[in-house]
Amino acid sequence: VCKVVVLISGSGSNLQALLDASAEAGASFSVCTVISNKPEAFGLIRAAEAGVPTSVVNHRNFSSRESFDQALIAEIDQQQPDLVVLAGFMRILTPEFVRHYRGRLLNIHPSLLPKYQGLHTHQRALEAGDNKHGVTVHFVTEELDGGPAIVQAIVPIKEGDTPESLAKRVQVQEHVIYPMAVTWFAQKRLKMLEDRTQLDGELLPSCGAQ
Ligand code: GAR
């Protein structure tokens, strides 16, 4: 069974979806620990309720991004995980961190990448007058929100949507596609090749982010 470390900063609804999937009969991955950079993250409670160990590496206790990331690497590597999953982890990671986990570091980003890298994606999609929006699971590379895409889900933007109503519609899909992508990885069906993703031996179309 594939050992997964999940990094969070907040509510942890994606973490919950992963915990639920890992508890199903025949699951191909297990969450061995959950690490938060924020002590008050609700996701820590979700993990505890699922019987999964947690720890906090509080970025406020570090004077630089580099020293924070080194502490994070030390904490993660104690577990010797096969995969590191960012689930609403809201810190930008250093190139050293990203290189250390190259090919085994996943992120979920609430937009149809390469559109709307960075923050406030729902608001930006609404302001642009888009009629669709969505979410992307991708391998993490040194380019922020720019690594090879694995899977996207598309949702419609409806009349009268607010950033909140749109976020809710997107999150329903997040909770479907993230466990799916992690399962593919755990089943060794997924590989990061240079700047493209390979699934079941076939190169996936690039989403334009690469
Ligand atoms: C999710 O919507 C995720 O896509 C987003 O944060 C939310 C976390 O929710 N991630 C990013 O914006 C990454 N830049 P959760 O804590 O309930 O899973």
Side-chain angles (χ1 to χ4, degrees), residues 8-16 46 87-90 107-111 118-122 135-136 144-145 167 170-171 174-175:
I8 61 166
S9 300
S11 154
S13 68
N14 279 286
L15 166 66
Q16 188 68 60
R46 297 180 190 269
F89 184 71
M90 302 305 279
N107 184 41
I108 190 159
H109 182 78
S111 77
L119 298 175
H120 311 299
T121 57
H122 309 301
V135 53
T136 306
L144 182 67
D145 296 330
V170 169
Q171 283 216 341
E174 295 191 8
H175 303 158

Side-chain angles (χ1 to χ4, degrees), residues 132-208:
K132 61 178 188 171
H133 185 47
V135 53
T136 306
V137 175
H138 64 97
F139 281 109
V140 177
T141 60
E142 290 168 41
E143 188 195 342
L144 182 67
D145 296 330
I150 296 166
V151 55
Q152 291 188 314
I154 299 174
V155 304
I157 294 183
K158 298 182 181 173
E159 190 85 28
D161 261 335
T162 61
E164 293 71 30
S165 65
L166 188 52
K168 266 193 196 151
R169 194 172 307 126
V170 169
Q171 283 216 341
V172 171
Q173 299 306 318
E174 295 191 8
H175 303 158
V176 175
I177 68 172
Y178 218 0
M180 190 192 304
V182 171
T183 297
W184 289 343
F185 186 92
Q187 295 172 337
K188 300 195 185 330
R189 295 168 59 189
L190 207 54
K191 268 202 187 82
M192 184 172 101
L193 295 181
E194 301 286 326
D195 56 356
R196 293 278 287 279
T197 296
Q198 197 186 49
L199 174 65
D200 293 337
E202 303 277 350
L203 273 186
L204 297 183
S206 103
C207 288

Side-chain angles (χ1 to χ4, degrees), residues 8 11 15-16 19 40-51 54:
I8 61 166
S11 154
L15 166 66
Q16 188 68 60
L19 290 170
E40 71 278 13
F42 182 67
L44 291 170
I45 294 171
R46 297 180 190 269
E49 280 177 357
T54 64

Side-chain angles (χ1 to χ4, degrees), residues 35-39 55-62 67-73 75-76 89:
I35 304 174
S36 174
N37 66 305
K38 292 195 173 183
S55 61
V56 174
V57 182
N58 190 337
H59 63 279
R60 292 175 186 275
N61 295 341
F62 297 86
S67 58
F68 168 67
D69 278 15
Q70 285 308 318
L72 202 53
I73 288 175
E75 191 68 28
I76 294 168
F89 184 71

